[in-house]
Amino acid sequence: MNIDKGILLESGTNELEVIVFQVGTGTFGINVMKVREIIQAQPVTALPNSHPHIEGIVRLRDEVLTVVNLMKVLGFQPSEQPENDKFIVSELNQIKVAFRVQNVSRIHRISWEQIEKPNELSQGLESLSTGIVKMDNQMILLLDFEKVVVDINPDKGINVNQVKSLGKRERSHKKIVAVEDSTMLRKLLHETLSEAGYDQVTFFDNGKSAWEYLTFTKNEQTDVKEEIQLIITDVEMPQMDGHHLTKRIKEDEQLADIPVVIFSSLISEDVYHKGKGVGADGQISKPEIVKLIQLIDQLIL
């Protein structure tokens, strides 16, 4: 199955396309922008002493990819007919991974407004998911693939020790807004930005909440740039994504001069062009926290 990523040509529409798939008794989804292709499952070479969620490696044309078994990640029993499984070949956090699933059904085009965050009553879903979509009388759980990868290999995540390589830094009086839907990543961003001297950071878990704050601030302040010197945003977020948020900021006369940096695991060539199209002042791929801090230094001197 080849993935056509040219459908959503216009940037900042607050829409995405989700590939729906099944694992065990659950129905799940992945943003099409994370997917390179979907292929029939192939024989896997096992790796000794690897993480329990890693099934092994597979050769795909000229590349060797790690295969992550989502049945193990999600606590389901192995497939009864593994020869019918599919591999979702994905690229995120600057690595390529093949995720084993049991069936791939179709692609849905939806708005981020249709996506809800799991709440405290969702019995642990929040640790696995970035959102829930209610569609066609079914619930589609958007998996947090970045967390799946970081749980297997913590080196692929954001690390405070990386910031320490920048040497001793002074405290900054600059005020930053950071928009990140992952609870884990908000905590890591807080720690790393604080270590870098940026401890006046206001966090939001989706673009809609951030936009409401920006709108309130510009209406309350004579010069909004005195209250907010820079905005960091993820791309994938419920209610309003980072591209749509950036587009709104850059189309607003009072906010347009505030630098916006997109910090996402999705900075592929296609996504980079979308970010440029909505006016982002910089784009850094997770988990490159040192590059993010260096760019912040440049933009708010």
Side-chain angles (χ1 to χ4, degrees), residues 229-242:
Q229 279 82 54
L230 183 131
I231 299 163
I232 304 167
T233 181
D234 191 10
V235 172
E236 291 188 294
M237 295 180 293
Q239 302 299 308
M240 183 187 295
D241 72 8

Side-chain angles (χ1 to χ4, degrees), residues 165-182:
S165 68
L166 293 171
K168 185 173 177 59
R169 294 173 59 92
E170 300 296 325
R171 296 285 102 181
S172 172
H173 65 279
K174 303 295 186 180
K175 298 176 181 178
I176 295 173
V177 167
V179 197
E180 169 60 62
D181 69 316
S182 166

Side-chain angles (χ1 to χ4, degrees), residues 186-212:
R186 282 198 305 276
K187 180 176 182 292
L188 289 172
L189 267 178
H190 172 74
E191 292 173 355
T192 50
L193 289 172
S194 180
E195 179 69 26
Y198 295 110
D199 54 3
Q200 297 192 50
V201 184
T202 304
F203 283 91
F204 296 93
D205 64 3
N206 69 76
K208 185 178 181 181
S209 297
W211 176 249
E212 290 170 351

Side-chain angles (χ1 to χ4, degrees), residues 118-136:
N119 59 36
E120 293 83 6
L121 301 178
S122 298
Q123 300 180 350
L125 286 182
E126 187 171 1
S127 66
L128 296 172
S129 135
T130 59
I132 299 172
V133 187
K134 298 175 182 176
M135 182 188 300
D136 299 336

